[in-house]
Amino acid sequence: MSAHDHPSTSFADAIGVFDSGVGGLSVLRAIRDALPLENLVYVADSGHAPYGDKTEALITERTLTVGNWLASSGVKAITVACNTATVVAIRHLREQIHIPVVAIEPAIKPAVNITRSGVVAVLATTQTLQSESVARLCQAYGEGKRILLQACPGWVEAVEQADLDSPHTQALLRQFVEPLIHQGVDTLVLGCTHYPFLRNTLQQIVGEQVVLIDPAVAVATELTRRLANNRHVHTKTSGTTRFFTTGNVLHVQQVVSHLWGDTAIVETMS
Ligand code: DGL
C-alpha cells in the first residue's frame, strides 16, 4: 500500500492485532479477556502464511504492510501476535508507526525460571529460532541451563486447517516433542502463536508433568499497561471484534469460527 492509499475501513480507537494466519487468535483471546470493553480488529495474513519459512525481506514487507494498514485506519495500538514477525521486523514497524506496539516473543525467561530438570525447549518457526532475538534471550537467561531449540514444520499448517488432533497431527507433534522429553525437557515454550491451539493434544503426548508456556496473557497485560499509560482505555459497555484476512475469506471464516468458538464474519483486507 502506498502512503497515499488508505483502507476503506475506519477503526478509530480500536486495537489492531495481527498474525500470519489464525494463530494470533490465541493472543486475541487473552486481549479480549483482559480488555472486554475495547473494540478489536484482527488481521490474519493468510494469503502469505506461513511466515516461518519465508525470507526476512518478505516477512518484513508483510509486517509493514499489515501494520501500516491498521495504523492508517486509525487503531490506537497494535499487538503483533506473531513471534516470527516480531523477531524479524518489529524494529522496522516501530520506526514507521507512532502508536504503542506490543509484540510477542518466545517466553524463554519464565521457562528457565520454572524448570526443575534444567532442560527446556523452545518450539517455534525456523525463522524465529534463527533470529538474533532468540540468541540474545538464550544468552541472557540460559546460564546453567540447557535450552533446546526445536522447529516444528507442519504445525502451523495443521492449525490453519483447524486440524488440532487428527492422527496425522498427533504424529506430527510426537515427531518433534518425544525426542525432547527423552533429553530431559520438563518445560516447553510455545514460541509460535499457532501452537497454543495444539495444547491439549500436546499435553496428552508429553504428560501432565511437563509445563507448556504461552505468553499470551503476559502480552495482554503489557498492552493493558501501555493503554493505561497513554490514557487510552475504553469506558463503554462492550467491545466489538472484527476479523480480516488476505486469504480465502470462506476458508478463514470457517477456521476462525472454529478456533474462536463463535460464528465469526471475516472480511477481506483491502
Ligand atoms: N504464528 C506465528 C508465530 O508466532 C507465525 C507462524 C508462521 O506463519 O509460520 O511465529
Side-chain angles (χ1 to χ4, degrees), residues 19-21 23-24 49-53 81-85 104 125 128 156 191-194:
D19 178 41
S20 63
Y51 284 178
D53 54 7
C82 176
N83 295 265
T84 312
I104 195 162
T125 68
T128 297
V156 167
C192 169
T193 54
H194 283 73

Side-chain angles (χ1 to χ4, degrees), residues 19-21 43-49 51 62-63 66 244-247 269:
D19 178 41
S20 63
V43 177
D45 192 17
S46 318
H48 305 88
Y51 284 178
R62 292 311 307 160
T63 301
V66 179
F244 289 81
T245 187
T246 55
M269 174 188 146

Side-chain angles (χ1 to χ4, degrees), residues 52-130:
D53 54 7
K54 300 289 189 318
T55 62
E56 288 195 13
L58 190 114
I59 297 165
T60 303
E61 192 267 313
R62 292 311 307 160
T63 301
L64 294 178
T65 299
V66 179
N68 279 313
W69 184 80
L70 286 165
S72 59
S73 64
V75 298
K76 62 185 173 188
I78 289 179
T79 298
V80 181
C82 176
N83 295 265
T84 312
T86 301
V87 300
V88 171
I90 196 70
R91 276 178 299 125
H92 305 293
L93 185 62
R94 287 197 170 121
E95 274 162 23
Q96 289 200 3
I97 62 176
H98 304 289
I99 51 176
V101 177
V102 175
I104 195 162
E105 66 178 7
I108 292 174
K109 183 180 176 187
V112 163
N113 284 340
I114 64 164
T115 178
R116 286 152 291 128
S117 69
V119 192
V120 312
V122 184
L123 308 175
T125 68
T126 306
Q127 274 289 3
T128 297
L129 296 177
Q130 284 172 352

Side-chain angles (χ1 to χ4, degrees), residues 25 251-266:
L25 294 172
H251 174 75
V252 175
Q253 187 158 287
Q254 260 179 2
V255 178
V256 169
S257 299
H258 183 78
L259 299 180
W260 192 244
D262 198 2
T263 307
I265 306 295
V266 176

